[in-house]
Amino acid sequence: GQSLEQPSEVTAVEGAIVQINCTYQTSGFYGLSWYQQHDGGAPTFLSYNGLDGLEETGRFSSFLSRSDSYGYLLLQELQMKDSASYFCAVRETDKLIFGTGTRLQVFP
Amino acid sequence: DTAVSQTPKYLVTQMGNDKSIKCEQNLGHDTMYWYKQDSKKFLKIMFSYNNKELIINETVPNRFSPKSPDKAHLNLHINSLELGDSAVYFCASSQSGSRNYEQYFGPGTRLTVT
């Protein structure tokens, strides 16, 4: 079967660094995407790892280890506006399978 | 300019009714999707179309019928609505093939069935 596990909630303060982990078990795997969703909003694409290693996009970085079926999203210099839900998503041939989501709360 | 748009944004209706949600994208993408997000924020794919052809049907009840008149539009018709259909429905689009990891979502349609 397919499963993606993420922590349900993470809290941090402004300016801090936070890591959101994602472990997966799927029948087919081509890569791992990350999406951000603010309350009442739509998911928006953040990052993608098709190969092992670290991808950096501004304050956000994403990491993938295929051998460990594991990835993470790293958010640096946290800002209040980063409070949102974050989803990892496994890319299969024709579709994305989304994880359960991690709610990040950033406090001043 | 809106990339992926959906109408309506809110839909409140009674059990047993039939309703439709419309989606349009102006990104020139070949592939469009319908997702359902439940109250626990679990986001699950329902359908995908590539160039008007159905690619994915994720064991969705046949009360749900997608239609793609052209590659820029994907509509969702729901018959005989049930309480469990209450959710937020998102349309999304992407380039086909190897770039389907980057999907652009519409603003969502919050469906409430009473």
mmCIF file of all heavy atoms in Angstrom, chain A residues 20 22 24 29-35 45-57 60-66 70-74 87-92 96, chain B residues 98 101-102:
data_model
loop_
_atom_site.group_PDB
_atom_site.id
_atom_site.type_symbol
_atom_site.label_atom_id
_atom_site.label_comp_id
_atom_site.label_asym_id
_atom_site.label_seq_id
_atom_site.Cartn_x
_atom_site.Cartn_y
_atom_site.Cartn_z
ATOM 1 N N ILE A 20 10.693 19.714 8.808
ATOM 2 C CA ILE A 20 9.484 18.890 8.731
ATOM 3 C C ILE A 20 9.838 17.617 7.978
ATOM 4 O O ILE A 20 10.241 17.674 6.811
ATOM 5 C CB ILE A 20 8.344 19.637 8.022
ATOM 6 C CG1 ILE A 20 7.973 20.903 8.804
ATOM 7 C CG2 ILE A 20 7.132 18.728 7.858
ATOM 8 C CD1 ILE A 20 6.972 21.796 8.099
ATOM 9 N N CYS A 22 9.331 13.692 6.419
ATOM 10 C CA CYS A 22 8.349 12.922 5.663
ATOM 11 C C CYS A 22 8.946 11.550 5.354
ATOM 12 O O CYS A 22 10.021 11.475 4.762
ATOM 13 C CB CYS A 22 8.003 13.657 4.367
ATOM 14 S SG CYS A 22 6.945 12.743 3.207
ATOM 15 N N TYR A 24 7.991 7.781 3.586
ATOM 16 C CA TYR A 24 6.999 7.300 2.636
ATOM 17 C C TYR A 24 7.190 5.830 2.315
ATOM 18 O O TYR A 24 8.277 5.284 2.444
ATOM 19 C CB TYR A 24 7.044 8.133 1.342
ATOM 20 C CG TYR A 24 8.388 8.103 0.648
ATOM 21 C CD1 TYR A 24 8.721 7.100 -0.258
ATOM 22 C CD2 TYR A 24 9.332 9.092 0.893
ATOM 23 C CE1 TYR A 24 9.957 7.075 -0.890
ATOM 24 C CE2 TYR A 24 10.573 9.077 0.269
ATOM 25 C CZ TYR A 24 10.877 8.067 -0.617
ATOM 26 O OH TYR A 24 12.102 8.037 -1.225
ATOM 27 N N PHE A 29 7.895 5.313 -7.239
ATOM 28 C CA PHE A 29 8.432 6.574 -6.717
ATOM 29 C C PHE A 29 9.318 7.222 -7.758
ATOM 30 O O PHE A 29 10.265 6.596 -8.269
ATOM 31 C CB PHE A 29 9.235 6.318 -5.435
ATOM 32 C CG PHE A 29 9.826 7.560 -4.835
ATOM 33 C CD1 PHE A 29 9.081 8.342 -3.970
ATOM 34 C CD2 PHE A 29 11.120 7.961 -5.145
ATOM 35 C CE1 PHE A 29 9.609 9.494 -3.414
ATOM 36 C CE2 PHE A 29 11.664 9.113 -4.605
ATOM 37 C CZ PHE A 29 10.907 9.886 -3.734
ATOM 38 N N TYR A 30 9.005 8.487 -8.058
ATOM 39 C CA TYR A 30 9.840 9.251 -8.975
ATOM 40 C C TYR A 30 10.451 10.476 -8.312
ATOM 41 O O TYR A 30 11.385 11.057 -8.829
ATOM 42 C CB TYR A 30 9.032 9.684 -10.203
ATOM 43 C CG TYR A 30 8.758 8.538 -11.149
ATOM 44 C CD1 TYR A 30 7.673 7.688 -10.957
ATOM 45 C CD2 TYR A 30 9.608 8.291 -12.232
ATOM 46 C CE1 TYR A 30 7.443 6.625 -11.808
ATOM 47 C CE2 TYR A 30 9.375 7.239 -13.094
ATOM 48 C CZ TYR A 30 8.289 6.414 -12.871
ATOM 49 O OH TYR A 30 8.053 5.358 -13.708
ATOM 50 N N GLY A 31 9.878 10.897 -7.202
ATOM 51 C CA GLY A 31 10.415 12.063 -6.526
ATOM 52 C C GLY A 31 9.461 12.549 -5.451
ATOM 53 O O GLY A 31 8.372 12.004 -5.272
ATOM 54 N N LEU A 32 9.913 13.574 -4.720
ATOM 55 C CA LEU A 32 9.141 14.102 -3.594
ATOM 56 C C LEU A 32 8.961 15.602 -3.745
ATOM 57 O O LEU A 32 9.937 16.336 -3.911
ATOM 58 C CB LEU A 32 9.883 13.789 -2.286
ATOM 59 C CG LEU A 32 9.105 13.987 -0.992
ATOM 60 C CD1 LEU A 32 7.994 12.945 -0.860
ATOM 61 C CD2 LEU A 32 10.041 13.897 0.209
ATOM 62 N N SER A 33 7.702 16.015 -3.718
ATOM 63 C CA SER A 33 7.374 17.447 -3.782
ATOM 64 C C SER A 33 6.943 17.943 -2.415
ATOM 65 O O SER A 33 6.523 17.163 -1.563
ATOM 66 C CB SER A 33 6.204 17.684 -4.758
ATOM 67 O OG SER A 33 6.575 17.489 -6.089
ATOM 68 N N TRP A 34 7.034 19.248 -2.243
ATOM 69 C CA TRP A 34 6.528 19.907 -1.027
ATOM 70 C C TRP A 34 5.594 21.049 -1.420
ATOM 71 O O TRP A 34 5.888 21.809 -2.350
ATOM 72 C CB TRP A 34 7.678 20.447 -0.187
ATOM 73 C CG TRP A 34 8.466 19.374 0.480
ATOM 74 C CD1 TRP A 34 9.573 18.731 -0.011
ATOM 75 C CD2 TRP A 34 8.204 18.795 1.761
ATOM 76 N NE1 TRP A 34 10.005 17.791 0.887
ATOM 77 C CE2 TRP A 34 9.187 17.815 1.989
ATOM 78 C CE3 TRP A 34 7.229 19.013 2.749
ATOM 79 C CZ2 TRP A 34 9.239 17.051 3.154
ATOM 80 C CZ3 TRP A 34 7.281 18.259 3.904
ATOM 81 C CH2 TRP A 34 8.273 17.279 4.104
ATOM 82 N N TYR A 35 4.495 21.149 -0.676
ATOM 83 C CA TYR A 35 3.496 22.181 -0.912
ATOM 84 C C TYR A 35 3.177 22.888 0.398
ATOM 85 O O TYR A 35 3.204 22.283 1.472
ATOM 86 C CB TYR A 35 2.210 21.585 -1.491
ATOM 87 C CG TYR A 35 2.312 21.221 -2.956
ATOM 88 C CD1 TYR A 35 3.008 20.087 -3.359
ATOM 89 C CD2 TYR A 35 1.756 22.032 -3.931
ATOM 90 C CE1 TYR A 35 3.133 19.764 -4.695
ATOM 91 C CE2 TYR A 35 1.862 21.714 -5.279
ATOM 92 C CZ TYR A 35 2.555 20.581 -5.656
ATOM 93 O OH TYR A 35 2.669 20.274 -6.987
ATOM 94 N N PHE A 45 3.057 25.121 -4.688
ATOM 95 C CA PHE A 45 4.270 24.335 -4.839
ATOM 96 C C PHE A 45 5.460 25.063 -4.239
ATOM 97 O O PHE A 45 5.641 26.271 -4.440
ATOM 98 C CB PHE A 45 4.508 24.077 -6.326
ATOM 99 C CG PHE A 45 5.834 23.433 -6.636
ATOM 100 C CD1 PHE A 45 6.026 22.083 -6.412
ATOM 101 C CD2 PHE A 45 6.881 24.189 -7.144
ATOM 102 C CE1 PHE A 45 7.244 21.488 -6.698
ATOM 103 C CE2 PHE A 45 8.100 23.602 -7.436
ATOM 104 C CZ PHE A 45 8.285 22.249 -7.212
ATOM 105 N N LEU A 46 6.285 24.312 -3.473
ATOM 106 C CA LEU A 46 7.490 24.894 -2.877
ATOM 107 C C LEU A 46 8.761 24.339 -3.496
ATOM 108 O O LEU A 46 9.676 25.092 -3.839
ATOM 109 C CB LEU A 46 7.529 24.595 -1.373
ATOM 110 C CG LEU A 46 6.528 25.307 -0.471
ATOM 111 C CD1 LEU A 46 6.697 24.812 0.965
ATOM 112 C CD2 LEU A 46 6.707 26.818 -0.547
ATOM 113 N N SER A 47 8.835 23.010 -3.579
ATOM 114 C CA SER A 47 10.116 22.397 -3.914
ATOM 115 C C SER A 47 9.904 20.967 -4.407
ATOM 116 O O SER A 47 8.873 20.358 -4.118
ATOM 117 C CB SER A 47 11.006 22.385 -2.669
ATOM 118 O OG SER A 47 12.294 21.913 -2.960
ATOM 119 N N TYR A 48 10.926 20.462 -5.125
ATOM 120 C CA TYR A 48 10.868 19.086 -5.626
ATOM 121 C C TYR A 48 12.254 18.480 -5.594
ATOM 122 O O TYR A 48 13.243 19.141 -5.956
ATOM 123 C CB TYR A 48 10.332 19.063 -7.053
ATOM 124 C CG TYR A 48 10.349 17.689 -7.695
ATOM 125 C CD1 TYR A 48 9.455 16.703 -7.268
ATOM 126 C CD2 TYR A 48 11.240 17.377 -8.720
ATOM 127 C CE1 TYR A 48 9.450 15.440 -7.845
ATOM 128 C CE2 TYR A 48 11.239 16.116 -9.308
ATOM 129 C CZ TYR A 48 10.340 15.170 -8.866
ATOM 130 O OH TYR A 48 10.332 13.916 -9.444
ATOM 131 N N ASN A 49 12.310 17.224 -5.155
ATOM 132 C CA ASN A 49 13.557 16.452 -5.209
ATOM 133 C C ASN A 49 13.313 15.207 -6.061
ATOM 134 O O ASN A 49 12.543 14.333 -5.677
ATOM 135 C CB ASN A 49 13.989 16.012 -3.811
ATOM 136 C CG ASN A 49 14.365 17.167 -2.919
ATOM 137 O OD1 ASN A 49 13.495 17.878 -2.414
ATOM 138 N ND2 ASN A 49 15.657 17.352 -2.710
ATOM 139 N N GLY A 50 13.980 15.163 -7.195
ATOM 140 C CA GLY A 50 13.919 13.960 -8.022
ATOM 141 C C GLY A 50 15.094 13.049 -7.750
ATOM 142 O O GLY A 50 15.050 11.839 -8.016
ATOM 143 N N LEU A 51 16.150 13.629 -7.232
ATOM 144 C CA LEU A 51 17.368 12.887 -6.907
ATOM 145 C C LEU A 51 17.705 13.078 -5.436
ATOM 146 O O LEU A 51 17.236 14.028 -4.809
ATOM 147 C CB LEU A 51 18.537 13.382 -7.763
ATOM 148 C CG LEU A 51 18.356 13.286 -9.283
ATOM 149 C CD1 LEU A 51 19.517 13.978 -9.983
ATOM 150 C CD2 LEU A 51 18.258 11.820 -9.712
ATOM 151 N N ASP A 52 18.540 12.197 -4.913
ATOM 152 C CA ASP A 52 18.995 12.345 -3.532
ATOM 153 C C ASP A 52 19.750 13.648 -3.363
ATOM 154 O O ASP A 52 20.435 14.110 -4.279
ATOM 155 C CB ASP A 52 19.930 11.184 -3.160
ATOM 156 C CG ASP A 52 19.178 9.901 -2.884
ATOM 157 O OD1 ASP A 52 17.936 9.894 -3.014
ATOM 158 O OD2 ASP A 52 19.833 8.901 -2.538
ATOM 159 N N GLY A 53 19.606 14.217 -2.189
ATOM 160 C CA GLY A 53 20.388 15.404 -1.878
ATOM 161 C C GLY A 53 19.508 16.569 -1.501
ATOM 162 O O GLY A 53 18.314 16.435 -1.253
ATOM 163 N N LEU A 54 20.157 17.726 -1.461
ATOM 164 C CA LEU A 54 19.521 18.948 -0.966
ATOM 165 C C LEU A 54 19.215 19.898 -2.116
ATOM 166 O O LEU A 54 20.058 20.113 -2.992
ATOM 167 C CB LEU A 54 20.470 19.628 0.025
ATOM 168 C CG LEU A 54 19.918 20.723 0.915
ATOM 169 C CD1 LEU A 54 18.911 20.171 1.901
ATOM 170 C CD2 LEU A 54 21.062 21.414 1.657
ATOM 171 N N GLU A 55 18.011 20.437 -2.111
ATOM 172 C CA GLU A 55 17.616 21.476 -3.053
ATOM 173 C C GLU A 55 17.324 22.736 -2.255
ATOM 174 O O GLU A 55 16.567 22.678 -1.281
ATOM 175 C CB GLU A 55 16.354 21.079 -3.829
ATOM 176 C CG GLU A 55 16.525 19.939 -4.818
ATOM 177 C CD GLU A 55 17.256 20.374 -6.066
ATOM 178 O OE1 GLU A 55 17.260 21.586 -6.372
ATOM 179 O OE2 GLU A 55 17.834 19.497 -6.742
ATOM 180 N N GLU A 56 17.900 23.860 -2.649
ATOM 181 C CA GLU A 56 17.702 25.092 -1.892
ATOM 182 C C GLU A 56 16.952 26.115 -2.733
ATOM 183 O O GLU A 56 17.305 26.343 -3.896
ATOM 184 C CB GLU A 56 19.049 25.661 -1.450
ATOM 185 C CG GLU A 56 19.794 24.721 -0.497
ATOM 186 C CD GLU A 56 21.117 25.284 -0.032
ATOM 187 O OE1 GLU A 56 21.116 26.180 0.825
ATOM 188 O OE2 GLU A 56 22.152 24.824 -0.541
ATOM 189 N N THR A 57 15.940 26.706 -2.125
ATOM 190 C CA THR A 57 15.168 27.762 -2.786
ATOM 191 C C THR A 57 14.939 28.857 -1.764
ATOM 192 O O THR A 57 13.957 28.841 -1.016
ATOM 193 C CB THR A 57 13.810 27.227 -3.293
ATOM 194 O OG1 THR A 57 13.989 26.017 -4.013
ATOM 195 C CG2 THR A 57 13.138 28.259 -4.190
ATOM 196 N N PHE A 60 13.911 28.251 2.010
ATOM 197 C CA PHE A 60 13.446 26.868 2.106
ATOM 198 C C PHE A 60 14.422 25.926 1.404
ATOM 199 O O PHE A 60 14.936 26.235 0.327
ATOM 200 C CB PHE A 60 12.060 26.713 1.453
ATOM 201 C CG PHE A 60 10.962 27.484 2.135
ATOM 202 C CD1 PHE A 60 9.682 27.486 1.601
ATOM 203 C CD2 PHE A 60 11.177 28.199 3.302
ATOM 204 C CE1 PHE A 60 8.645 28.188 2.220
ATOM 205 C CE2 PHE A 60 10.160 28.899 3.925
ATOM 206 C CZ PHE A 60 8.886 28.889 3.379
ATOM 207 N N SER A 61 14.642 24.770 2.021
ATOM 208 C CA SER A 61 15.445 23.720 1.404
ATOM 209 C C SER A 61 14.695 22.411 1.556
ATOM 210 O O SER A 61 13.942 22.228 2.518
ATOM 211 C CB SER A 61 16.807 23.587 2.101
ATOM 212 O OG SER A 61 17.506 24.807 2.098
ATOM 213 N N SER A 62 14.929 21.503 0.638
ATOM 214 C CA SER A 62 14.309 20.185 0.756
ATOM 215 C C SER A 62 15.362 19.124 0.485
ATOM 216 O O SER A 62 16.250 19.318 -0.342
ATOM 217 C CB SER A 62 13.117 20.039 -0.198
ATOM 218 O OG SER A 62 13.516 20.253 -1.531
ATOM 219 N N PHE A 63 15.212 18.025 1.190
ATOM 220 C CA PHE A 63 16.203 16.955 1.125
ATOM 221 C C PHE A 63 15.501 15.638 0.845
ATOM 222 O O PHE A 63 14.371 15.412 1.287
ATOM 223 C CB PHE A 63 16.946 16.863 2.464
ATOM 224 C CG PHE A 63 17.865 15.667 2.576
ATOM 225 C CD1 PHE A 63 19.134 15.711 2.032
ATOM 226 C CD2 PHE A 63 17.443 14.510 3.211
ATOM 227 C CE1 PHE A 63 19.986 14.615 2.125
ATOM 228 C CE2 PHE A 63 18.274 13.399 3.312
ATOM 229 C CZ PHE A 63 19.552 13.452 2.763
ATOM 230 N N LEU A 64 16.198 14.767 0.122
ATOM 231 C CA LEU A 64 15.655 13.435 -0.172
ATOM 232 C C LEU A 64 16.739 12.374 -0.015
ATOM 233 O O LEU A 64 17.869 12.571 -0.473
ATOM 234 C CB LEU A 64 15.113 13.385 -1.597
ATOM 235 C CG LEU A 64 14.618 12.017 -2.085
ATOM 236 C CD1 LEU A 64 13.400 11.554 -1.293
ATOM 237 C CD2 LEU A 64 14.307 12.058 -3.579
ATOM 238 N N SER A 65 16.355 11.271 0.612
ATOM 239 C CA SER A 65 17.186 10.074 0.643
ATOM 240 C C SER A 65 16.309 8.911 0.178
ATOM 241 O O SER A 65 15.443 8.437 0.917
ATOM 242 C CB SER A 65 17.715 9.801 2.050
ATOM 243 O OG SER A 65 18.287 8.499 2.115
ATOM 244 N N ARG A 66 16.521 8.461 -1.033
ATOM 245 C CA ARG A 66 15.711 7.373 -1.579
ATOM 246 C C ARG A 66 15.949 6.066 -0.818
ATOM 247 O O ARG A 66 15.025 5.304 -0.571
ATOM 248 C CB ARG A 66 16.033 7.151 -3.051
ATOM 249 C CG ARG A 66 15.497 8.214 -3.976
ATOM 250 C CD ARG A 66 16.024 8.006 -5.374
ATOM 251 N NE ARG A 66 15.434 8.924 -6.324
ATOM 252 C CZ ARG A 66 14.499 8.585 -7.202
ATOM 253 N NH1 ARG A 66 14.047 7.339 -7.237
ATOM 254 N NH2 ARG A 66 14.022 9.477 -8.032
ATOM 255 N N TYR A 70 12.895 8.720 2.747
ATOM 256 C CA TYR A 70 12.786 9.828 3.716
ATOM 257 C C TYR A 70 13.150 11.142 3.058
ATOM 258 O O TYR A 70 14.050 11.211 2.212
ATOM 259 C CB TYR A 70 13.738 9.526 4.881
ATOM 260 C CG TYR A 70 14.065 10.679 5.780
ATOM 261 C CD1 TYR A 70 13.153 11.129 6.727
ATOM 262 C CD2 TYR A 70 15.314 11.312 5.702
ATOM 263 C CE1 TYR A 70 13.466 12.189 7.569
ATOM 264 C CE2 TYR A 70 15.628 12.366 6.539
ATOM 265 C CZ TYR A 70 14.709 12.800 7.472
ATOM 266 O OH TYR A 70 15.025 13.841 8.306
ATOM 267 N N GLY A 71 12.430 12.162 3.440
ATOM 268 C CA GLY A 71 12.768 13.495 2.991
ATOM 269 C C GLY A 71 12.402 14.501 4.061
ATOM 270 O O GLY A 71 11.718 14.173 5.054
ATOM 271 N N TYR A 72 12.892 15.705 3.913
ATOM 272 C CA TYR A 72 12.478 16.761 4.839
ATOM 273 C C TYR A 72 12.461 18.104 4.145
ATOM 274 O O TYR A 72 13.114 18.322 3.128
ATOM 275 C CB TYR A 72 13.347 16.796 6.103
ATOM 276 C CG TYR A 72 14.799 17.171 5.918
ATOM 277 C CD1 TYR A 72 15.191 18.474 5.623
ATOM 278 C CD2 TYR A 72 15.810 16.213 6.073
ATOM 279 C CE1 TYR A 72 16.527 18.813 5.465
ATOM 280 C CE2 TYR A 72 17.147 16.544 5.924
ATOM 281 C CZ TYR A 72 17.488 17.841 5.617
ATOM 282 O OH TYR A 72 18.819 18.167 5.464
ATOM 283 N N LEU A 73 11.704 19.000 4.733
ATOM 284 C CA LEU A 73 11.647 20.400 4.324
ATOM 285 C C LEU A 73 12.243 21.208 5.456
ATOM 286 O O LEU A 73 11.845 21.052 6.610
ATOM 287 C CB LEU A 73 10.206 20.824 4.055
ATOM 288 C CG LEU A 73 9.993 22.271 3.618
ATOM 289 C CD1 LEU A 73 10.536 22.486 2.206
ATOM 290 C CD2 LEU A 73 8.504 22.631 3.666
ATOM 291 N N LEU A 74 13.199 22.058 5.126
ATOM 292 C CA LEU A 74 13.864 22.888 6.116
ATOM 293 C C LEU A 74 13.486 24.338 5.863
ATOM 294 O O LEU A 74 13.661 24.836 4.745
ATOM 295 C CB LEU A 74 15.381 22.715 6.014
ATOM 296 C CG LEU A 74 16.216 23.316 7.132
ATOM 297 C CD1 LEU A 74 16.079 22.469 8.400
ATOM 298 C CD2 LEU A 74 17.689 23.394 6.716
ATOM 299 N N PHE A 87 2.758 20.019 3.114
ATOM 300 C CA PHE A 87 2.485 18.660 2.658
ATOM 301 C C PHE A 87 3.659 18.146 1.825
ATOM 302 O O PHE A 87 4.121 18.858 0.905
ATOM 303 C CB PHE A 87 1.237 18.633 1.770
ATOM 304 C CG PHE A 87 -0.040 18.981 2.472
ATOM 305 C CD1 PHE A 87 -0.442 20.302 2.594
ATOM 306 C CD2 PHE A 87 -0.850 17.992 3.001
ATOM 307 C CE1 PHE A 87 -1.620 20.631 3.248
ATOM 308 C CE2 PHE A 87 -2.036 18.309 3.650
ATOM 309 C CZ PHE A 87 -2.409 19.638 3.770
ATOM 310 N N CYS A 88 4.097 16.932 2.134
ATOM 311 C CA CYS A 88 4.973 16.252 1.194
ATOM 312 C C CYS A 88 4.083 15.453 0.244
ATOM 313 O O CYS A 88 2.943 15.113 0.584
ATOM 314 C CB CYS A 88 5.985 15.350 1.898
ATOM 315 S SG CYS A 88 5.292 14.011 2.908
ATOM 316 N N ALA A 89 4.574 15.197 -0.935
ATOM 317 C CA ALA A 89 3.790 14.464 -1.935
ATOM 318 C C ALA A 89 4.730 13.616 -2.776
ATOM 319 O O ALA A 89 5.689 14.147 -3.358
ATOM 320 C CB ALA A 89 2.994 15.429 -2.819
ATOM 321 N N VAL A 90 4.447 12.354 -2.831
ATOM 322 C CA VAL A 90 5.239 11.440 -3.659
ATOM 323 C C VAL A 90 4.750 11.535 -5.092
ATOM 324 O O VAL A 90 3.544 11.489 -5.359
ATOM 325 C CB VAL A 90 5.105 9.997 -3.142
ATOM 326 C CG1 VAL A 90 5.561 9.005 -4.190
ATOM 327 C CG2 VAL A 90 5.889 9.817 -1.855
ATOM 328 N N ARG A 91 5.700 11.669 -5.992
ATOM 329 C CA ARG A 91 5.356 11.684 -7.413
ATOM 330 C C ARG A 91 5.418 10.257 -7.949
ATOM 331 O O ARG A 91 6.464 9.621 -7.936
ATOM 332 C CB ARG A 91 6.311 12.583 -8.182
ATOM 333 C CG ARG A 91 6.016 12.583 -9.667
ATOM 334 C CD ARG A 91 6.955 13.484 -10.452
ATOM 335 N NE ARG A 91 6.926 13.102 -11.858
ATOM 336 C CZ ARG A 91 7.973 12.656 -12.542
ATOM 337 N NH1 ARG A 91 9.162 12.560 -11.962
ATOM 338 N NH2 ARG A 91 7.855 12.318 -13.802
ATOM 339 N N GLU A 92 4.264 9.762 -8.363
ATOM 340 C CA GLU A 92 4.217 8.504 -9.088
ATOM 341 C C GLU A 92 4.115 8.829 -10.575
ATOM 342 O O GLU A 92 4.220 9.993 -10.954
ATOM 343 C CB GLU A 92 3.038 7.657 -8.609
ATOM 344 C CG GLU A 92 3.178 7.229 -7.154
ATOM 345 C CD GLU A 92 2.128 6.209 -6.739
ATOM 346 O OE1 GLU A 92 1.116 6.062 -7.454
ATOM 347 O OE2 GLU A 92 2.334 5.586 -5.698
ATOM 348 N N LEU A 96 0.322 12.727 -7.990
ATOM 349 C CA LEU A 96 0.949 12.978 -6.693
ATOM 350 C C LEU A 96 0.097 12.335 -5.602
ATOM 351 O O LEU A 96 -1.133 12.453 -5.620
ATOM 352 C CB LEU A 96 1.041 14.471 -6.420
ATOM 353 C CG LEU A 96 1.988 15.302 -7.282
ATOM 354 C CD1 LEU A 96 1.916 16.770 -6.869
ATOM 355 C CD2 LEU A 96 3.419 14.788 -7.184
ATOM 356 N N SER B 98 7.060 14.482 -17.140
ATOM 357 C CA SER B 98 8.019 14.532 -16.036
ATOM 358 C C SER B 98 7.868 15.758 -15.156
ATOM 359 O O SER B 98 8.505 15.849 -14.115
ATOM 360 C CB SER B 98 9.448 14.469 -16.579
ATOM 361 O OG SER B 98 9.677 15.565 -17.441
ATOM 362 N N TYR B 101 5.126 17.027 -11.103
ATOM 363 C CA TYR B 101 5.349 17.247 -9.672
ATOM 364 C C TYR B 101 5.009 18.670 -9.253
ATOM 365 O O TYR B 101 4.862 18.954 -8.069
ATOM 366 C CB TYR B 101 6.812 16.950 -9.311
ATOM 367 C CG TYR B 101 7.832 17.787 -10.060
ATOM 368 C CD1 TYR B 101 8.146 19.071 -9.636
ATOM 369 C CD2 TYR B 101 8.470 17.294 -11.188
ATOM 370 C CE1 TYR B 101 9.072 19.843 -10.322
ATOM 371 C CE2 TYR B 101 9.388 18.051 -11.876
ATOM 372 C CZ TYR B 101 9.686 19.325 -11.429
ATOM 373 O OH TYR B 101 10.607 20.075 -12.108
ATOM 374 N N GLU B 102 4.935 19.582 -10.209
ATOM 375 C CA GLU B 102 4.627 20.982 -9.913
ATOM 376 C C GLU B 102 3.224 21.291 -10.409
ATOM 377 O O GLU B 102 2.997 21.507 -11.605
ATOM 378 C CB GLU B 102 5.642 21.910 -10.582
ATOM 379 C CG GLU B 102 5.427 23.376 -10.247
ATOM 380 C CD GLU B 102 6.514 24.272 -10.834
ATOM 381 O OE1 GLU B 102 7.475 23.737 -11.441
ATOM 382 O OE2 GLU B 102 6.398 25.503 -10.693
#
